[in-house]
Amino acid sequence: MNGFEYIGKNIGKIDAMALATGQPLFTDDISFPNTLHIKILYSPHAHAIIEDIDTSEAEKIPRVKLILTYKNTPQVLHTTAGQGWPEPSPYDTCMFNKKVRYVGDRVAAVAAETEEIAYEALKHIKVNYKKLPAVFDPEEAMKEGAPVIHDEEGISGVYNPKRNIVSHIEVKAGDIEKGFEESDVVVEDTFEMQYAQHCPIEPHATITYLDEYGRLVIRTSTQVPFHVRRIVAQVLEIPVQNIRVIKPRIGGGFGVKQEIILEEISAFVTLKTHRPARLVYTREEEFVSSRTRHPMKVTVKIGAKKNGIFNAIKMYALSNNGAYGTHGLTVTSNTGSKTLPLYNKAPNIEFIADVAYTNLPVAGAYRGYGATQGYAALEQVVDEIAEKLGMGPAEIRKINHIKVGETSPIFKALGEGREGVTQYIQSEATDKLLELGTKEIGWYEKIRKPAKEATKVRGIGMALLMQGSGIPLIDMGAATIKLNEDGSFNVLYGGTDIGTGLDTVVAQIVSETLGVKPEQIIVYAADTDVTPFDKGAYASSGTFISGGAVYNAALKVREQILEVTKEIFGEFNTKDFILKDGFVISEKSGKKVSLSEIAYQTLYLKKQQQIMATSSFVSDSSPPPFAAHFIEIEVDKETGIITPIKYVAAVDCGVAINPELAKGQIIGSIVNGIGYALTEEYKFSQTGKLINSNFMEYRIPSSRDIPDIKTILVETYEPKGPYGAKSVAEININGPIPAIGNALYNALGIRIHKLPYTPEKVLEALKNKGA
Amino acid sequence: MLKLKEVGQCFYPNTIEEAAKLLKESGEDTRIVGGGLHLTAFPNPAIKTLIFLNNLKLNYIKEIDGKISIGATTTISELANSAEMNGYLKGNVKKLLQSIASELLRNQITMGGSVAQREPYSDIVTMLLTLRADIVIHDGEKEIKTPISDFYKSNFRATLKKSVIKEVLLEKFDSTYKFGMKRFTRNATDIPLLNFGILAQVNEDTIKNVSIVVGARPGPAERFAQAEEFLKNKTLSKELAEEFGKFVEENVDVAGDIRVGKEYRAHIAGIFAKRILNEFMEE
């Protein structure tokens, strides 16, 4: 027992009943009379100039209200990435561009009285394209003479547009070449990770309308309401004060809703027509024209001394950003910055990365944010060097991983798109994670255990992981809390629960701090007119940053309550007072006053004031959660089919404020990662058209594909987090690729270097091994 | 967005004769609604008339004249959970039915719908072809019974513009018959990327009366005559299974598509062929 009443307890999600009973909670669950429906025309070409676009025929169709193209919309170069400011992603797109850069790039939008009419009108828009040569491979794209994808005037923040290089990153510590020379064993390997989509069950959706005073209201399924407001203001060249963004419940984000990709279109239609407008993506649009994971080719080279201590680690990442550079620099920075500090014993480190434009769909933020691709390679190469040294996978990780009180030069050298901050590890859980996970999976009993059927073999594999909690000195959240007559509290905060349970965690933090039940906390989140600022839901920052802000506000409110109580009790040492079950109690005198009474007193009678406080939280560090993942798989040697049997995730996320919700995040991430490892991939035609943009052909796991997953929470205390908490949302997606890869090697002695691990590739690898 | 917005008429006939007559009279843009799955998954906006089979009481599984008769609107779940399937071909049909798609879809997919659509990836079609089922249709005046392989050789889509499927008949194979069917999917709820069925009479290890069907090739399911010929009168053994697997891999008529390559389809067909024979020996 931790001595807390509400922290570390499995309080039911506060929105669960409303969700389960189908209340109109999501963006598209409500409709306004007179709404215009918007549909978008997309480019059939991978690379082309729009020589002319004729909308006159489409405009003649009855009940078509407005057609938008680059000709009649603001040409403001911006980034669609909803990140902090100044923005680290390049300004390389307008609402509509004269040049299209991938099959699925937007060309025009129609606003009509019904969706059917809007679809019909799209067919009557005549576009003359001048086709240009396209490039789909990032290596080809960076070569001299390759088609230049961004040759437009005025773009900024691109490293080398002439060579299609969005960003180039170089970070070095020590002397890498000398490091390898002085190593006894050196191993290098390359892994290629594929395009994948987030697949939120609720696709992107936006409804816009004007309020009674003519201000623009944007109701949208977003992870970043305040960035939506800022970027829509920028793109439409209107003041921030004229925009209100409301975030209703969100049916999953996973990073794809950290982009502003339809709000500005809907907003523009509303501003032009003074009518409500609605734009909701289909599943196909979600696949083709929203955002994806960055496909990456990652090479890792490790040099180690005979005793197993790493002496040099080099990582090179080549990232494919697709047609626009959103999240290019920051995702790929994370590929190094969230992985290399894990093995801080190596004095010689080098991380180099290139991010390339290609004529393919646009990559963006996706759970794991580049670390997933980094770990896919790093954690397999760690196993490879362990084998060469004759060491066990857990053993080599134990002697090389970062430990409590230690740091890594990478923390300071590489932040998110700029220099990072020095930080020291506060957690000593990692050895325990390795130990408990090894035990739970039954490592030593299973390491050479044959499968029951002769044609099948079993294998086990592991991976060690870290991530971060928010972006230090950039991410800020704020919250306001006020007391009501019945002793309940309103919490107004800018944090964005996208299905994760953050609102529930926030209620628990306030309950604990103010001694009231979670039922008495009314959480209202993310309405830019009503709640204070918050950077939004990304970078594993919900509990740590937004929760931290709520915690600070609750402490201030507590002070105000105690101040008022002094007079009521006639006692003046607030250290004697405790808040419990809706009362302030003096432990000295036994006097007791309810929060309700305090509220009545202060609202109507004495010392009249609203007990209320606002506070913010920003952190100078990004405390990493740690996780050790283990998997047992069964591989059918004849069919190549890999079946995950058991998965163990031992996780240090600090204090889990709500352990069941934390476990939900862990299991969800693992399943997400298994899908990426085994079945999920984009398939393109030769002309760059995505040909599997539906759930029939793009296979995400169903509940029947989930193995037995055991989660082990190893509690540590993170001094900077609310009640000792740090993050858990992303880290666990990083495990399945390397763990399955290592298990496959354990089972059959093969490594597959191009993801996903399909049965066809397993058989091919077996054939090559035999040959 | 309402996809079937042109639908102006819905009929609920009380007899199959009436249903067939309505179908004949109402023309091209009419569809029969059995389970309704195809209609909701692939709504064709041209459809103007719907004929629902709800009142026809075609939801049954019964034994008649030594055959198992399965009504056209019986779902996969109903068939899988029926007493008739418990011991049928040693429970192997039941096991197969329970592995198809998801519980939700099995509650919606009907026997009649599967036969009528003949999706290339249908497991039901491969299963019925393997089991040499008879299809009973009603043309408004009379019932017509046709072996399923003949039914598919004919212009069945034209026939079904004027006739309604009434039921599927399965023979009650005696204990000398063995059935096995395997399906390759990318994950649990996927459509099969290849399915392979064998029904054979095994008398003192000698194989007779064999039918072999390959589906999701990715073309529609077809009898695999060469393979049937290969097994005829052979003695069941591990060596035969091995040999047969190789024969199937080399001779099966499959192609590649975006889901999986030709080589893998042929390979997995061979593995399935071998494994089914091996399982026959274990029974």
Side-chain angles (χ1 to χ4, degrees):
Chain A
M1 295 304 290
N2 56 20
F4 291 127
E5 200 147 343
Y6 304 107
I7 300 298
K9 302 292 183 314
N10 295 320
I11 307 291
K13 268 185 96 189
I14 59 176
D15 50 352
M17 192 54 83
L19 288 165
T21 55
Q23 300 307 307
L25 299 162
F26 297 96
T27 299
D28 198 29
D29 282 347
I30 62 167
S31 60
F32 292 92
N34 235 6
T35 295
L36 290 169
H37 299 265
I38 303 168
K39 284 289 153 197
I40 298 175
L41 181 71
Y42 294 104
S43 166
H45 304 298
H47 200 188
I49 303 270
I50 300 173
E51 290 205 308
D52 192 29
I53 184 160
D54 177 4
T55 56
S56 56
E57 285 301 311
E59 276 159 14
K60 281 182 204 153
I61 295 172
R63 305 175 76 202
V64 168
K65 190 73 185 172
L66 182 66
I67 298 179
L68 306 179
T69 68
Y70 74 90
K71 288 182 178 175
N72 62 353
T73 51
Q75 290 292 293
V76 177
L77 282 162
H78 66 283
T79 175
T80 57
Q83 298 178 278
W85 188 89
E87 289 153 318
S89 292
Y91 283 12
D92 63 359
T93 189
C94 297
M95 204 167 147
F96 293 92
N97 298 295
K98 190 170 163 50
K99 190 182 189 190
V100 287
R101 297 179 172 87
Y102 70 106
V103 178
D105 204 352
R106 61 166 78 136
V107 172
V110 173
E113 302 288 346
T114 69
E115 271 194 348
E116 286 89 342
I117 296 166
Y119 272 122
E120 185 58 31
L122 293 181
K123 296 180 204 160
H124 297 270
I125 297 174
K126 293 193 187 86
V127 191
N128 268 344
Y129 294 100
K130 182 187 162 194
K131 280 204 265 176
L132 300 170
V135 60
F136 304 124
D137 179 84
E139 269 161 291
E140 293 299 319
M142 294 194 302
K143 284 183 185 159
E144 182 107 40
V148 178
I149 297 170
H150 284 273
D151 49 2
E152 68 271 38
E153 297 250 316
I155 56 166
S156 58
V158 181
Y159 177 76
N160 185 350
K162 285 183 184 150
R163 298 290 286 269
N164 294 317
I165 304 174
V166 182
S167 305
H168 176 77
I169 304 160
E170 276 196 47
V171 176
K172 291 173 185 179
D175 182 336
I176 194 73
E177 290 314 320
K178 203 167 154 231
F180 287 124
E181 275 164 34
E182 289 171 358
S183 297
D184 296 312
V185 180
V186 178
V187 170
E188 182 183 298
D189 211 345
T190 301
F191 294 87
E192 220 174 308
M193 276 60 69
Q194 75 277 30
Y195 262 107
Q197 225 271 331
H198 316 62
C199 303
I201 292 309
E202 179 207 25
H204 282 79
T206 295
I207 290 176
T208 51
Y209 54 94
L210 297 180
D211 74 6
E212 303 84 332
Y213 304 101
R215 287 174 74 238
L216 175 68
V217 184
I218 304 174
R219 175 180 162 96
T220 188
S221 64
T222 183
Q223 293 174 227
V224 286
F226 284 87
H227 299 336
V228 168
R229 186 177 64 168
R230 191 190 75 228
I231 291 174
V232 170
Q234 174 198 6
V235 175
L236 302 187
E237 300 175 293
I238 57 174
V240 162
Q241 73 169 59
N242 287 1
I243 306 173
R244 175 182 181 184
V245 178
I246 298 171
K247 174 213 77 91
R249 299 324 288 174
I250 307 294
F254 313 105
V256 77
K257 291 172 183 169
Q258 201 194 330
E259 294 275 336
I260 288 74
I261 47 179
L262 32 75
E263 287 90 350
E264 83 281 21
I265 295 180
S266 192
F268 191 73
V269 168
T270 290
L271 289 178
K272 285 280 161 196
T273 62
H274 294 209
R275 288 176 59 177
R278 167 183 172 271
L279 178 46
V280 179
Y281 264 4
T282 63
R283 183 57 58 187
E284 188 181 1
E285 286 174 303
E286 197 65 36
F287 273 110
V288 181
S289 302
S290 71
R291 297 291 178 257
T292 72
R293 184 181 291 284
H294 286 76
M296 261 189 225
K297 193 169 171 181
V298 182
T299 301
V300 172
K301 185 173 176 182
I302 302 179
K305 298 281 193 186
K306 269 184 196 146
N307 61 6
I309 299 287
F310 296 163
N311 196 48
I313 308 177
K314 187 175 169 180
M315 183 185 272
Y316 174 72
L318 173 59
S319 177
N320 177 357
N321 221 111
Y324 296 94
T326 168
H327 291 274
L329 173 62
T330 43
V331 159
T332 316
S333 295
N334 262 16
T335 304
S337 72
K338 293 284 184 273
T339 56
L340 297 172
L342 182 60
Y343 298 118
N344 69 329
K345 301 297 172 286
N348 308 296
I349 313 171
E350 184 178 283
F351 175 67
I352 298 178
D354 287 302
V355 184
Y357 285 122
T358 61
N359 294 111
L360 286 175
V362 186
Y366 189 164
R367 191 183 218 171
Y369 206 75
T372 310
Q373 295 93 314
Y375 278 112
L378 177 66
E379 282 302 281
Q380 298 200 62
V381 178
V382 168
D383 258 40
E384 290 179 48
I385 200 161
E387 194 195 18
K388 273 210 164 178
L389 288 159
M391 296 177 83
E395 196 188 343
I396 198 162
R397 289 174 171 89
K398 255 183 200 165
I399 58 172
N400 280 293
H401 75 74
I402 193 165
K403 295 184 174 63
V404 64
E406 293 180 353
T407 188
S408 155
I410 296 290
F411 285 136
K412 170 82 177 155
L414 189 56
E416 279 218 7
R418 63 188 196 193
E419 198 177 68
V421 294
T422 301
Q423 55 180 2
Y424 292 89
I425 296 305
Q426 305 288 334
S427 162
E428 49 188 0
T430 311
D431 283 336
K432 206 170 175 191
L433 300 176
L434 287 166
E435 193 186 309
L436 293 177
T438 306
K439 200 174 156 202
E440 178 61 37
I441 197 82
W443 188 277
Y444 296 105
E445 301 87 67
K446 285 178 182 167
I447 189 82
R448 277 176 200 91
K449 193 182 148 194
K452 281 178 199 155
E453 294 165 63
T455 58
K456 292 178 179 174
V457 280
R458 294 252 170 143
I460 48 174
M462 65 162 300
L464 188 64
L465 317 160
M466 59 172 263
Q467 194 89 22
S469 303
I471 309 169
L473 300 179
I474 293 178
D475 282 350
M476 193 276 281
T480 298
I481 300 175
K482 65 185 175 79
L483 173 65
N484 301 316
E485 288 100 321
D486 58 354
S488 67
F489 292 92
N490 290 103
V491 178
L492 308 171
Y493 82 118
T496 309
D497 185 335
I498 53 173
T500 51
L502 179 60
D503 286 352
T504 307
V505 163
V506 156
Q508 286 176 257
I509 291 170
V510 179
S511 287
E512 190 65 48
T513 315
L514 298 176
V516 294
K517 290 189 170 68
E519 298 89 276
Q520 285 167 284
I521 311 297
I522 309 136
V523 182
Y524 184 73
D527 176 335
T528 58
D529 262 16
V530 180
T531 67
F533 176 86
D534 188 291
K535 82 282 156 245
Y538 57 82
S540 289
S541 63
T543 299
F544 184 69
I545 304 277
S546 309
V550 168
Y551 177 64
N552 284 350
L555 286 179
K556 280 191 178 173
V557 167
R558 190 175 188 276
E559 281 310 306
Q560 291 179 19
I561 291 169
L562 296 184
E563 205 49 42
V564 172
T565 312
K566 275 190 199 169
E567 276 201 25
I568 299 173
F569 286 174
E571 293 177 34
F572 298 96
N573 191 353
T574 56
K575 282 185 183 151
D576 295 331
F577 302 165
I578 56 163
L579 276 78
K580 196 173 163 37
D581 300 334
F583 289 87
V584 185
I585 302 160
S586 166
E587 289 192 306
K588 192 175 158 199
S589 62
K591 283 182 186 166
K592 199 174 169 183
V593 61
S594 73
L595 293 176
S596 171
E597 202 178 323
I598 290 172
Y600 272 106
Q601 289 277 339
T602 52
L603 289 174
Y604 302 106
L605 299 170
K606 274 192 257 172
K607 284 227 162 200
Q608 275 175 274
Q609 59 174 304
Q610 168 70 64
I611 289 182
M612 167 172 177
T614 295
S615 194
S616 308
F617 181 73
V618 64
S619 176
D620 59 4
S621 67
S622 175
F626 292 93
H629 282 197
F630 301 81
I631 191 169
E632 181 182 11
I633 58 168
E634 190 165 89
V635 195
D636 188 320
K637 285 187 285 184
E638 291 184 331
T639 64
I641 295 170
I642 299 171
T643 310
I645 304 292
K646 183 171 179 173
Y647 204 106
V648 175
V651 182
D652 156 28
C653 59
V655 171
I657 302 225
N658 188 317
E660 277 304 311
L661 290 179
K663 283 181 187 173
Q665 289 277 351
I666 295 168
I667 293 169
S669 294
I670 290 167
V671 175
N672 203 172
I674 289 175
Y676 190 41
L678 296 182
T679 56
E680 294 181 41
E681 62 180 319
Y682 272 25
K683 294 182 176 179
F684 296 100
S685 73
Q686 295 211 321
T687 55
K689 181 179 162 47
L690 181 64
I691 52 175
N692 64 332
S693 55
N694 56 65
F695 283 145
M696 184 117 155
E697 304 302 349
Y698 182 95
R699 301 303 304 175
I700 59 170
S702 75
S703 58
R704 275 165 55 201
D705 296 296
I706 302 176
D708 171 22
I709 300 177
K710 173 91 179 166
T711 56
I712 302 167
L713 294 175
V714 173
E715 189 169 292
T716 59
Y717 187 87
E718 169 47 50
K720 291 207 169 77
Y723 291 103
K726 50 188 181 181
S727 87
V728 74
E730 295 182 87
I731 178 171
N732 294 288
I733 199 172
N734 303 333
I737 288 183
I740 295 173
N742 289 335
L744 200 53
Y745 185 79
N746 174 246
L748 291 166
I750 56 169
R751 281 204 188 272
I752 293 173
H753 294 90
K754 208 171 168 178
L755 273 291
Y757 306 128
T758 62
E760 279 176 295
K761 289 183 200 161
V762 171
L763 289 189
E764 201 190 317
L766 274 175
K767 210 162 116 189
N768 293 340
K769 188 193 163 207
Chain B
M1 202 165 74
L2 188 65
K3 301 268 171 66
L4 294 171
K5 54 186 179 174
E6 293 302 315
V7 172
Q9 298 186 97
C10 292
F11 294 106
Y12 286 80
N14 290 315
T15 64
I16 196 157
E17 288 83 358
E18 199 189 329
K21 274 177 196 154
L22 279 166
L23 182 63
K24 273 186 204 168
E25 285 159 14
S26 51
E28 274 293 304
D29 302 322
T30 302
R31 294 292 183 279
I32 294 281
V33 189
L37 182 64
H38 196 270
L39 212 54
T40 44
F42 309 101
N44 178 351
I47 296 170
K48 294 200 174 93
T49 306
L50 296 175
I51 302 172
F52 288 78
L53 303 185
N54 301 37
N55 296 343
L56 302 193
K57 300 191 177 70
L58 294 178
N59 215 336
Y60 57 79
I61 302 150
K62 55 193 176 196
E63 277 190 52
I64 304 170
D65 303 331
K67 293 208 171 194
I68 300 171
S69 164
I70 307 157
T73 59
T74 307
T75 65
I76 297 183
S77 296
E78 285 163 343
L79 183 60
N81 297 332
S82 69
E84 283 77 4
M85 285 297 115
N86 279 342
Y88 187 65
L89 289 165
K90 303 181 181 65
N92 286 332
V93 174
K94 183 189 177 92
K95 213 165 73 189
L96 166 73
L97 292 169
Q98 286 169 333
S99 72
I100 296 171
S102 66
E103 185 84 40
L104 294 173
L105 288 173
R106 291 197 295 273
N107 287 341
Q108 236 190 320
I109 301 171
T110 61
M111 288 296 123
S114 302
V115 170
Q117 296 300 343
R118 197 188 57 160
E119 295 294 356
Y121 46 77
S122 169
D123 288 309
I124 297 296
V125 169
T126 300
M127 180 190 89
L128 294 178
L129 276 163
T130 311
L131 296 174
R132 301 168 221 155
D134 287 326
I135 306 300
V136 180
I137 59 169
H138 202 292
D139 68 0
E141 284 158 18
K142 59 185 183 305
E143 283 183 11
I144 304 161
K145 187 171 88 173
T146 320
I148 186 166
S149 49
D150 293 344
F151 183 71
Y152 285 141
K153 273 179 212 151
S154 72
N155 189 355
F156 72 98
R157 295 201 194 272
T159 309
L160 292 179
K161 284 188 176 143
K162 292 171 184 164
S163 308
V164 178
I165 297 173
K166 184 192 168 213
E167 61 187 5
V168 172
L169 300 176
L170 295 180
E171 211 163 302
K172 285 205 74 190
F173 299 101
D174 66 36
S175 65
T176 61
Y177 276 87
K178 292 174 188 289
F179 168 79
M181 184 169 145
K182 294 193 182 292
R183 47 202 294 282
F184 169 65
T185 58
R186 289 163 292 192
N187 54 16
T189 55
D190 196 10
I191 53 164
L193 306 197
L194 184 113
N195 54 31
F196 195 98
I198 307 180
L199 174 77
Q201 190 178 24
V202 184
N203 263 335
E204 290 173 353
D205 285 347
T206 304
I207 299 170
K208 284 186 175 157
N209 280 324
V210 60
S211 51
I212 299 174
V213 179
V214 194
R217 305 174 297 113
E222 275 182 5
R223 290 277 288 263
F224 187 3
Q226 264 177 296
E228 291 173 1
E229 197 57 38
F230 182 94
L231 280 188
K232 211 158 86 182
N233 299 324
K234 292 258 169 71
T235 307
L236 195 57
S237 71
K238 285 242 168 232
E239 293 70 37
L240 178 74
E242 204 67 45
E243 234 179 282
F244 181 57
K246 285 199 186 102
F247 177 86
V248 167
E249 178 167 357
E250 281 162 21
N251 293 287
V252 68
D253 179 17
V254 290
D257 61 2
I258 71 155
R259 294 165 190 151
V260 70
K262 176 181 172 160
E263 203 182 316
Y264 188 82
R265 268 207 176 89
H267 174 79
I268 199 97
I271 297 296
F272 286 169
K274 178 178 82 171
R275 287 185 179 178
I276 293 169
L277 288 196
N278 278 328
E279 283 167 15
F280 282 179
M281 280 184 289
E282 284 159 21
E283 276 176 6

